[in-house]
Structures are given as C-alpha cells and as structure tokens.
Amino acid sequence: MLWDLFCRVVDNFGDVGVCWRAAAELAARGEKVRLWIDDGRALSWMAPTGRAGVQVLAWPSDEAVIPAGDVVVEAFGCNPPAGFVAGMAAAARPRVWINLEYLSAEDYVERSHGLPSPQAGGPGAGLTKWFFYPGFTDRTGGLLRESDLLDRQRRFDPTGWLAAQGVSTRPQERRVSLFCYDNPALPALLDTLAAEPTLLLATAGIASAQVESLLGPGLQRGALRAVLLPALPQPEYDRLLWCCDLNFVRGEDSFVRAQWAARPFVWHIYPQSDGVHADKLEAFAERFLAHAPAALAREVRACWRAWNGTGGALGGLPDPTAWRGHCQTWRDGLLGQTDLITRLLGFVCERR
C-alpha cells in the first residue's frame, strides 16, 4: 500500500523521531511511504542515509490537491492540509484515515483505541478518522519495534561501539547516558554519580550544554567523567542505550527505546504547563512497577518524581541489580505482545 504520513515538528525531536521509525519499519515490510513534514532538518542527522521506500516531502499548502495514498496517517492530531483532505473526500475509493496518538499508560487509552471519529464538517465531511493509540497492553496499538531488533541486540559489541565513537572505557566504571530537557535536578544527579567511577555520555543539545556548564571544560567531578557526544542517527542512539548501565531518556521515542534496551532508565516526561505530565508519569509508574519488589518500586518512584520535579530532592539511585532484573522482566513481557506496525497493518486491512 501507499501510505501518506503527516508530521508537524512542535518544539523537540520526538514527533519526527516516532514518525521516522514508523515510516522506516513500514518500508522494511514492503510498504511505500510518503512522509510529509513541516521541518525535516532533524532527519539530516537522525536518518542521514534515508530509507528505501520512504520519500520525504515538504508539507503541502492548503490549496494543493494531491491524490492520497491508500492510508493517511496524521501523527498526534496534526491535521493534514485542507486540499489534501478534500482530495480524500472526492476519491472514488475511500482511504483509511488514522490519527496516530501520543503514547500513554493511562486508562483512557484502552477505551479510546480504535474508535471512529466521523467528520461532520470541513473538507473531510463524510469521512471517518480512526484513533490509534500506542500503549503497553493488548487492548492498545502496542509499541514500535523492528522485526530484527533482538537479533541486532544479540550481535552488539558495546566496547567496540564505544571505541568507534572515540570513547575509552575503564574497568569497574558504570556507563550512564543522558538525554533530557532542561532540568534543575541535574546538579544533584552529577553529585550522586561522582561518588563512584562513572562515565557519563551526554547527548548533543540540551543535555551536553547543561553538563558542560556544570562540570566546566574538564568535564570531571570526583569519580565522574563526562563525554559530549555528537548528534547520533537513530540506530546509533539505540546502541548507546544498549551499552549503558543506566539511561536517562526523555519524551516518547527514547522512552520506548530504553525499554527495549532492558536497562534501568529514568524518564524525563515532556513537561506541560497544566501539570498533566505528572499524572502520565504516575500512570506509567503504576503499570511498570506493579510487580516489582516493594523496596525497588519505592526507590524508582522517588527517583522519577525527583527527576521530573514532582517529588522531593534527588538522592541516591535505586539498587542497580534489582532494577536491571525488573527492566529485563518488563521488556520480556512487552516482547510477548504484538508490535505497533503489525497491529496497524492489521487495523488498516480490516477497514479498507
């Protein structure tokens, strides 16, 4: 099928990150994708080699009438241009129109996934848009996962990968990756990490800028040393997560990738002015920690709340052995569920 995938970049890289992974995996399964995006600059480093089967196109004007593909996916309610929607309405054969929503562990996701949204007015009057919600249960749309993910993880050589990035390793040194928004809890984290031998790998952008300003040009504090990484393509960022003992991630895309890495992670949820991000954080914590040992659950919750500014000050980190074991168990449970692209393909075929 030919898929039209629409993406608007709001203020970070999460939107385009999710959309590119979805487009690339659709293409890997033999589909053809036109990715319409209003700001594709991040793809120059996120996906520098592109992908066969994916065509990246500039966001069309409202006046442009473009024949739609078999499936139209608007990411995160971005609303395709009026001319494009009018073309869908005029087509002799109905297209499947999907709103791919944000990921959440909240209860409403299961209730809302797969519901129709009949269009009563505007250029799409008479059409039906379908809600497709990613999620963590079989009653949702699932999570993005490549078919060859586990095979690539099994063949991965962390020491060799770090050496290829120009990063030297030291015995008994834990590895921590940092990808975050501007975070006032970072000074406390650096103090905590400096108490034992730690290699901090800070991603390009906000994380690196904060680390450099707090540690100075030497990029060291106590037993902590930091390395500022260049912008990494998505496959290389995945490998960064695989080679670390602890990953600090943010938003949606890296949050999911950290779970596939099966390593301890701390999620910096996208902060919203009305505070609803706190509810989303607690909803995921409730689901993620439901079967964790009580002591570990308390420690992880306290750490996540402190990092997100919804709890007390950041103190010590949870027990690493118990934390890693729980993350592996959680990942194994997710692997038992059908991935998002498989579910999406099935959903579309049922409605064509």
Side-chain angles (χ1 to χ4, degrees):
M1 294 178 286
L2 174 61
W3 297 63
D4 285 303
L5 175 53
F6 285 88
C7 174
R8 282 196 183 275
V9 180
V10 181
D11 55 0
N12 287 289
F13 307 128
D15 295 338
V16 64
V18 170
C19 289
W20 179 259
R21 286 196 194 270
E25 184 59 16
L26 282 166
R29 302 192 192 193
E31 307 295 305
K32 296 181 180 179
V33 183
R34 294 187 298 195
L35 176 58
W36 303 90
I37 188 167
D38 66 339
D39 184 355
R41 289 175 294 177
L43 292 176
S44 64
W45 54 265
M46 190 178 290
T49 61
R51 175 81 194 205
V54 179
Q55 184 181 13
V56 179
L57 299 167
W59 190 276
S61 68
D62 279 342
E63 295 75 28
V65 178
I66 301 167
D70 302 290
V71 188
V72 177
V73 179
E74 58 173 277
F76 317 122
C78 65
N79 294 317
F84 189 92
V85 175
M88 290 169 59
R93 180 171 54 83
R95 273 48 173 174
V96 182
W97 185 5
I98 290 174
N99 178 10
L100 178 62
E101 276 287 357
Y102 288 103
L103 172 64
S104 177
E106 294 170 291
D107 291 340
Y108 76 85
V109 169
E110 289 188 341
R111 297 193 303 269
S112 305
H113 174 63
L115 291 180
S117 176
Q119 304 297 294
L127 299 178
T128 297
K129 183 190 303 187
W130 300 88
F131 289 104
F132 196 93
Y133 278 86
F136 303 94
T137 73
D138 285 327
R139 296 178 60 190
T140 70
L143 300 174
L144 278 168
R145 183 178 83 240
E146 299 83 9
S147 302
D148 64 346
L149 176 64
L150 290 185
D151 183 58
R152 288 188 287 115
Q153 284 181 314
R154 281 192 290 265
R155 293 185 283 106
F156 176 61
D157 171 20
T159 302
W161 184 83
L162 286 168
Q165 312 308 309
V167 178
S168 62
T169 57
R170 298 174 184 174
Q172 312 304 317
E173 190 176 52
R174 67 180 168 188
R175 302 166 188 162
V176 179
S177 76
L178 179 66
F179 182 40
C180 62
Y181 304 110
D182 187 45
N183 197 323
L186 184 56
L189 174 64
L190 296 180
D191 287 340
T192 297
L193 296 179
E196 60 182 271
T198 302
L199 171 62
L200 179 63
L201 299 164
T203 56
I206 294 174
S208 283
Q210 291 179 92
V211 167
E212 188 172 26
S213 68
L214 290 168
L215 296 183
L219 296 177
Q220 292 189 357
R221 178 180 296 176
L224 166 70
R225 65 187 182 104
V227 172
L228 309 183
L229 297 171
L232 297 173
Q234 283 186 331
E236 299 305 315
Y237 178 74
D238 290 347
R239 295 181 178 102
L240 169 65
L241 298 177
W242 300 345
C243 78
C244 286
D245 304 296
L246 172 60
N247 294 304
F248 285 78
V249 294
R250 78 179 203 194
E252 181 171 325
D253 181 60
S254 62
F255 170 53
V256 172
R257 306 314 292 188
Q259 292 172 67
W260 294 134
R263 302 287 193 276
F265 64 93
V266 180
W267 182 27
H268 195 179
I269 190 169
Y270 183 75
Q272 295 174 270
S273 57
D274 56 6
V276 297
H277 62 286
D279 296 332
K280 293 181 181 295
L281 180 70
E282 294 300 321
F284 177 72
E286 187 68 24
R287 192 174 297 278
F288 175 71
L289 298 169
H291 302 292
L296 177 66
R298 287 194 299 271
E299 292 172 357
V300 171
R301 275 195 176 90
C303 179
W304 286 4
R305 288 169 179 168
W307 187 241
N308 284 277
T310 62
L314 184 68
L317 296 170
D319 175 70
T321 302
W323 199 0
R324 180 158 179 163
H326 180 69
C327 289
Q328 290 173 335
T329 300
W330 171 257
R331 193 276 303 269
D332 292 344
L334 293 178
L335 287 173
Q337 300 176 15
T338 307
D339 67 275
L340 185 145
I341 295 300
T342 299
R343 295 188 194 191
L344 182 59
L345 286 165
F347 186 88
V348 166
C349 289
E350 289 174 359
R351 286 154 183 79
R352 287 192 71 192

